Amino acid sequence: MRFVHDTLPQRVRFASGAAEEGLAAEVAALGARRVMVIAGAAEREFADRVTAGLPVVHRHDDVVMHVPVEVAVRARAAAAERDVDALISVGGGSTTGLAKAVALTTGLPIVAVPTTYAGSEATAVWGLTEDSVKTTGTDPKVLPRAVVYDASLTLSLPVELSVASGLNALAHCVDSMWAPRADPINQALAAEGVRALRTGLPLVVKDPQALDGREQTLYGAYLAAVAFASAGSGLHHKICHVLGGMFNLPHAQTHAVVLPHVLAFNAPFAPDAERRLAASFGSATAVEGLAMLRDRLGAPRSLRDLGMPRDGVAAVAEAVVAAAPAGNPRPVTLDAITDLVRNAWEAR
């Protein structure tokens, strides 16, 4: 056994109903005196509650999916104008992504309070969209110094969006099995993440107001993100980044639709990873386990339903092949990726 593994420096506080207390402790640890809170309109109530009593000098709600460059520029200007010394993000992946865009150019520390299962809070990956192209990169400056997980903040997340967000987290696990820097530690984290997510998500669907399912799902999403942060972006994420940038498709739902197609594409060419995934799903094969879980959850099925035009298939396939990561278990050819994207569009 021989590998190189990176462990990112970050503190995690996980306690339902304790976001306000945990956030106050993290802001105090930073010694912050002029805090900027980033939260979209939908998270305003949560953000106001958990940041009560903190030295907030600005509340920024200009949050847009996929972080367009112009949105990032406005947030950076707001931070500079108010001489901010720390950022708090309260929300999902778009909110965390905007905080990262500010940190990328300012170096300001972030304390993240997730309200979905996106996982961006546990990675050093940033993303910006300009002229229908989404560009991603990695920089230690954007990794939040601390994450405050409070499953009670996800109770109001609608079941349909919870399913999509949870399957996005599951995609982090699957990609981590064969991404460019996959290693035994990433695979162990990802396998446990799959187990937690396949346990938690059906409980969320069954009783959206019960904390047990929400906690299992949030725990699984964190493990998924940690594995992904180390393993890097695999074929699945390259496909979804192209789709998101090109057609502005909803992030979590896109991952939920594409995942079974990429798993079926790669699994036969990565038998060891496939066996570990199957065991985590508790099924005979990984493809079968994911299919059964998606049936139980009522997962989204097609890119067509998300608004992608049929005539975009060829352009997506070409962009994916150009961006495909080295070392994918199966050769990435234009014909094969065209078929994969077309099947995802048709829900076939």
Side-chain angles (χ1 to χ4, degrees), residues 79-169:
E81 288 167 5
R82 293 161 178 84
D83 194 25
V84 167
D85 61 3
L87 305 168
I88 295 174
S89 65
V90 183
S94 298
T95 305
T96 308
L98 182 57
K100 287 180 170 184
V102 176
L104 183 65
T105 57
T106 65
L108 289 169
I110 303 170
V111 179
V113 185
T115 61
T116 72
Y117 310 117
S120 176
E121 67 279 353
T123 80
V125 178
W126 56 266
L128 292 167
T129 301
E130 186 173 25
D131 297 330
S132 299
V133 176
K134 186 169 185 177
T135 301
T136 62
T138 302
D139 194 306
K141 291 197 299 291
V142 309
L143 177 72
R145 300 284 184 87
V147 184
V148 177
Y149 285 113
D150 181 344
S152 70
L153 298 182
T154 69
L155 290 174
S156 63
L157 191 66
V159 168
E160 183 177 336
L161 189 52
S162 297
V163 166
S165 186
L167 288 174
N168 177 23

Side-chain angles (χ1 to χ4, degrees), residues 277-295:
L277 287 169
S280 295
F281 278 117
S283 61
T285 69
V287 170
E288 178 184 310
L290 177 59
M292 290 190 296
L293 178 63
R294 285 170 52 82
D295 286 343

